[in-house]
Amino acid sequence: MKRLLTILALCGIASLLHASEMELEKVTVGTDVQTVGRGAEAVMNDCHSCHSMKYIRYRDLVNFGMDRQKVDGWRGDLSLDAPLLAQMPESDAAQAYGKAPPDLSLMTKAREGGVRYVYSYLLGYYLTPEGMPGNHYFPETKMPDVLGISGVTEGAQRTELQGKARDIVSFLAWSADPHEQERHRLGYYVIAYLLVLTVLLYLVKNQVWSGLK
Amino acid sequence: MPQRIIKWPAGVIKWIDQRFPLTSFVKHELTGYPTPRNLSYWWNFGFLAGFVLVLQVATGIFLAMHYKADIALSFDSIQHIMRDVNYGWLLRYMHSTGASAFFLVIYIHMARTLYYGSYRAPRELLWWTGQGLLLLLMATAFMGYLLPWGQMSFWGATVITNLFRATPFVGDQVVIWLRGDYTVGDATLTRFFALHYLMPFLIIGAVVVHLVALHSVKSSNPSGINLADKDNIPFHPYFTAKDFYGLGVFLIVYSVFVFFMPDSLIEPANNIPANPMQTPNHIVPEWYFLPFYAILRSVPNMVGGVVAMGLSVMVFAFMPYLDRSRIPGGAHFRPMYRVLFYVFLADMAVLGYVGYIPPTETSILAGQIATLIYFTLFLQLPFVSKAEERWLIKRGLPPELEALIASEAHEKTKRGKR
């Protein structure tokens, strides 16, 4: 146990050290239908033309509680059971950007830093003195500044874009782990049950051992 | 016509007992099995390891019903399990967390053995069967890690199978033979899946051998000597009650990970499908292999690294001969050994950390020093343990220990007279 704790502590220190290279922005994702729905809309408008989300089907969006008419608008003639494939064929995107844009279904789980990384990355665009766009968190990125944050100087507009980025990562977090809410709900019951059971088992153990001379 | 009625259950059990030693087996090996009454909670972990093994087999069989061992399908099939299969996410997280839980439990079980000197005569074979189980467990975990076909799966398997190049004369052929191809690919995945399904059953067989050895020499105990008969109590109800309480505590910790932080044990890079054309920034094994991985990396020469890593895992088997002290009670009555034990734990932590971070000049040096300490700890033991024994006897053993040794000698002569 001690060994695990030490390793965990050291890993904690290690991750702090790594993070200090470029501090990730803090963000708390929303799990409600409104936030995730707004995020879905933003992704369909700004990301979906190049990025696929192949592990999500249109039906999953409806089942989660998003507006059926909106989903129908997004899917067009496609079946409800069709996955969210990118509008641009992968080969075209690969030609345009040098490499195929990655699938986004697992994006918040597939990067060190998770949602915080994706959020920071989306807001991490800036303009170099020469007027070229750059990104603080992923300098080699081929993705254009889709939110348009690099040109923004005004505080109110910046806040608005931060809200939009939060919606997007909320949707991505949901699509990476759609059963998270259910898992947490079940987890509370399981652990509460185990706590009661363990207390009882402890009392049983004491009862049994008290008979020993 | 008079009918012979077999009464349930007494008659049925009698019928069986005439043909199979059911009652006597249960009495001797389960309920009545004599167990030292002074066992602490550190003796719970063998039972816990058995429990986790059953958990892994049970969840694994159900996962195998939905998993597809094919490089074009396996990553997708994991997502299918996580998203579409009823409670598939629960099965998969129980299994992936269970792997870590298995190693945690086994490492504590081993640390207890080292601390209390449970490996000493007459328990050498018990310890060695345990060593064999550790190797089987490591092999099983390693092969299982390839199955999700993520980036870390692929590159981990590539790095580790590549180590077999160190085999003298036939290294290259051995690597190809293991992979079934020139690189890790579909042939590797299918054979790893087959073996990952097979090996748990070998482990179950080895556990039976481990238990037969245990029941022949009986449990060690914190005092380090064989207790008098009056100090042994039946396994049931005393240790069933104690083990089940320990199981409850274990399950709470396990559930916190399964339900609230299951991804903390999965590398982010493994959520990216395997890509043989793109090496991840830095390849790390699972936490339970980190100290050994650090030892591998600490030796500049590949063959040397592989030998050092192999030795670092196998060196535990030599403990019954490296530790020459006859003072009972493990580290409890042995101040020097106790210090060495904690140095060992700290050294493992340092090695684990060095294995985790990307290699830098400082970390490589730290790893080399830690590796040196690791092997020195084992190599100096024959001399230090003997010196410690002499020093302790000269200084005078603590009275409680004298009393223990006297009572053991007394019991022995009594048994001898009988």
Side-chain angles (χ1 to χ4, degrees):
Chain A
M1 197 62 217
K2 261 183 196 140
R3 181 161 40 180
L4 179 80
L5 287 178
T6 327
I7 291 176
L8 285 181
L10 287 169
C11 292
I13 295 167
S15 58
L16 285 179
L17 287 175
H18 284 293
S20 69
E21 289 164 9
M22 186 70 215
E23 191 75 51
L24 291 180
E25 308 240 7
K26 285 196 177 65
V27 62
T28 329
V29 295
T31 51
D32 54 300
V33 174
Q34 282 80 23
T35 314
V36 174
R38 281 199 308 273
E41 195 161 1
V43 167
M44 294 309 288
N45 292 336
D46 297 336
C47 319
H48 182 52
S49 51
C50 302
H51 290 282
S52 63
M53 296 190 74
K54 61 176 176 175
Y55 297 121
I56 302 291
R57 298 182 206 95
Y58 290 99
R59 190 184 295 282
D60 298 329
L61 305 179
V62 177
N63 288 347
F64 184 62
M66 286 177 213
D67 186 16
R68 175 70 192 256
Q69 262 154 13
K70 261 187 193 161
V71 176
D72 283 344
W74 294 331
R75 73 186 170 97
D77 304 334
L78 293 170
S79 150
L80 258 185
D81 289 313
L84 273 68
L85 295 179
Q87 282 154 3
M88 189 193 278
E90 216 172 71
S91 52
D92 290 7
Q95 228 161 31
Y97 297 108
K99 61 188 251 192
D103 186 88
L104 295 183
S105 325
L106 281 164
M107 189 45 71
T108 58
K109 276 195 189 188
R111 294 291 180 273
E112 208 73 56
V115 283
R116 286 183 63 189
Y117 170 80
V118 179
Y119 179 77
S120 308
Y121 165 71
L122 285 173
L123 296 173
Y125 284 91
Y126 63 96
L127 285 179
T128 57
E130 296 83 47
M132 296 294 287
N135 191 296
H136 290 300
Y137 299 91
F138 186 17
E140 311 89 66
T141 187
K142 296 277 197 296
M143 188 173 102
D145 176 14
V146 282
L147 293 186
I149 187 88
S150 57
V152 170
T153 45
E154 198 190 325
Q157 213 183 345
R158 206 179 161 80
T159 317
E160 193 196 314
L161 287 182
Q162 277 170 344
K164 192 172 177 184
R166 178 175 174 268
D167 293 345
I168 290 177
V169 294
S170 298
F171 173 64
L172 292 181
W174 169 78
S175 56
D177 196 357
H179 292 290
E180 190 185 24
Q181 296 298 308
E182 186 192 358
R183 197 174 71 231
H184 287 182
R185 243 186 343 264
L186 186 59
Y188 287 120
Y189 283 116
V190 169
I191 290 170
Y193 171 83
L194 283 174
L195 282 170
V196 174
L197 178 71
T198 305
V199 169
L200 290 177
L201 286 172
Y202 178 67
L203 296 176
V204 167
K205 184 244 153 196
N206 279 354
Q207 179 65 30
V208 166
W209 280 71
S210 69
L212 202 62
K213 286 180 289 297
Chain B
M1 195 172 152
Q3 247 184 331
R4 276 181 62 203
I5 296 166
I6 298 179
K7 269 196 205 152
W8 176 263
V12 175
I13 289 174
K14 196 178 154 204
W15 188 91
I16 294 172
D17 276 338
Q18 284 160 351
R19 291 156 179 86
F20 181 87
L22 178 69
T23 307
S24 67
F25 178 82
V26 170
K27 191 161 170 268
H28 279 120
E29 309 302 336
L30 296 169
T31 56
Y33 173 64
T35 313
R37 64 190 289 166
N38 61 340
L39 296 191
S40 68
Y41 282 108
W42 295 114
W43 266 261
N44 272 28
F45 288 86
F47 167 75
L48 289 179
F51 179 84
V52 181
L53 174 61
V54 172
L55 203 65
Q56 289 300 85
V57 170
T59 52
I61 286 171
F62 283 96
L63 286 171
M65 294 177 190
H66 303 282
Y67 172 75
K68 295 195 171 56
D70 178 321
I71 56 170
L73 301 172
S74 54
F75 192 89
D76 290 349
S77 75
I78 299 286
Q79 288 308 312
H80 167 66
I81 290 169
M82 293 296 288
R83 290 158 193 271
D84 304 330
V85 175
N86 289 331
Y87 291 99
W89 56 267
L90 182 59
L91 285 173
R92 198 257 176 145
Y93 278 150
M94 281 174 76
H95 199 73
S96 65
T97 310
S100 283
F102 210 155
F103 275 96
L104 177 66
V105 166
I106 286 296
Y107 285 163
I108 295 175
H109 189 59
M110 288 176 71
R112 190 269 294 156
T113 308
L114 291 175
Y115 186 90
Y116 289 104
S118 310
Y119 47 77
R120 287 196 203 170
R123 294 189 179 80
E124 298 96 324
L125 273 176
L126 180 56
W127 179 234
W128 291 337
T129 51
Q131 173 89 53
L133 275 165
L134 175 69
L135 294 180
L136 282 173
L137 177 64
M138 286 178 153
T140 309
F142 165 66
M143 291 179 181
Y145 197 54
L146 183 70
L147 306 187
W149 203 246
Q151 271 288 66
M152 217 46 100
S153 302
F154 176 85
W155 289 99
T158 300
V159 169
I160 301 300
T161 50
N162 201 36
L163 296 179
F164 287 87
R165 260 184 230 294
T167 318
F169 308 116
V170 288
D172 289 349
Q173 282 85 339
V174 167
V175 174
I176 294 169
W177 180 74
L178 283 172
R179 292 175 177 168
D181 202 340
Y182 295 103
T183 57
V184 172
D186 202 55
T188 325
L189 182 64
T190 49
R191 66 185 51 197
F192 274 29
F193 180 53
L195 292 172
H196 186 69
Y197 205 108
L198 166 71
M199 293 187 70
F201 299 100
L202 300 183
I203 291 180
I204 291 172
V207 166
V208 171
V209 176
H210 195 59
L211 286 177
V212 168
L214 172 70
H215 284 224
S216 160
V217 295
K218 308 286 187 268
S219 291
S220 66
N221 67 80
S223 82
I225 62 163
N226 287 328
L227 298 177
D229 290 342
K230 66 177 168 34
D231 291 320
N232 285 309
I233 50 179
F235 192 82
H236 181 73
Y238 298 106
F239 286 96
T240 37
K242 197 166 178 173
D243 281 349
F244 274 112
Y245 165 55
L247 178 64
V249 175
F250 165 79
L251 283 177
I252 291 170
V253 177
Y254 174 71
S255 299
V256 168
F257 275 93
V258 168
F259 290 99
F260 294 97
M261 43 203 296
D263 287 312
S264 64
L265 301 165
I266 297 174
E267 273 295 315
N270 228 26
N271 285 312
I272 303 170
N275 180 357
M277 310 305 286
Q278 188 191 31
T279 320
N281 289 341
H282 117 260
I283 301 171
V284 276
E286 294 289 84
W287 69 266
Y288 37 81
F289 289 138
L290 287 174
F292 308 111
Y293 184 61
I295 290 177
L296 169 75
R297 286 202 306 193
S298 292
V299 182
N301 170 289
M302 182 182 124
V303 176
V306 173
V307 171
M309 182 172 71
L311 269 179
S312 69
V313 180
M314 292 308 297
V315 71
F316 298 106
F318 298 103
M319 278 306 287
Y321 299 109
L322 294 175
D323 181 6
R324 297 203 300 153
S325 170
R326 284 166 303 167
I327 306 289
H332 186 59
F333 295 113
R334 298 170 58 188
M336 284 187 205
Y337 184 77
R338 191 163 64 230
V339 170
L340 293 175
F341 175 80
Y342 286 116
V343 171
F344 172 72
L345 289 196
D347 194 54
M348 281 299 251
V350 171
L351 282 169
Y353 178 65
V354 168
Y356 179 73
I357 59 170
T360 62
E361 221 164 279
T362 345
S363 84
I364 289 171
L365 184 68
Q368 285 168 343
I369 294 170
T371 302
L372 203 65
I373 294 174
Y374 186 95
F375 286 109
T376 312
L377 279 171
F378 287 99
L379 290 179
Q380 51 72 40
L381 197 57
F383 314 105
V384 174
S385 61
K386 208 69 200 166
E388 181 192 49
E389 183 193 87
R390 265 187 242 112
W391 173 65
L392 282 173
I393 290 171
K394 206 171 113 195
R395 198 187 61 162
L397 296 172
E400 47 181 321
L401 187 56
E402 295 273 21
L404 271 175
I405 295 170
S407 81
E408 189 195 23
H410 181 66
E411 283 293 319
K412 254 189 202 150
T413 51
K414 218 167 64 178
R415 263 197 295 262
K417 270 178 201 156
R418 242 187 257 152

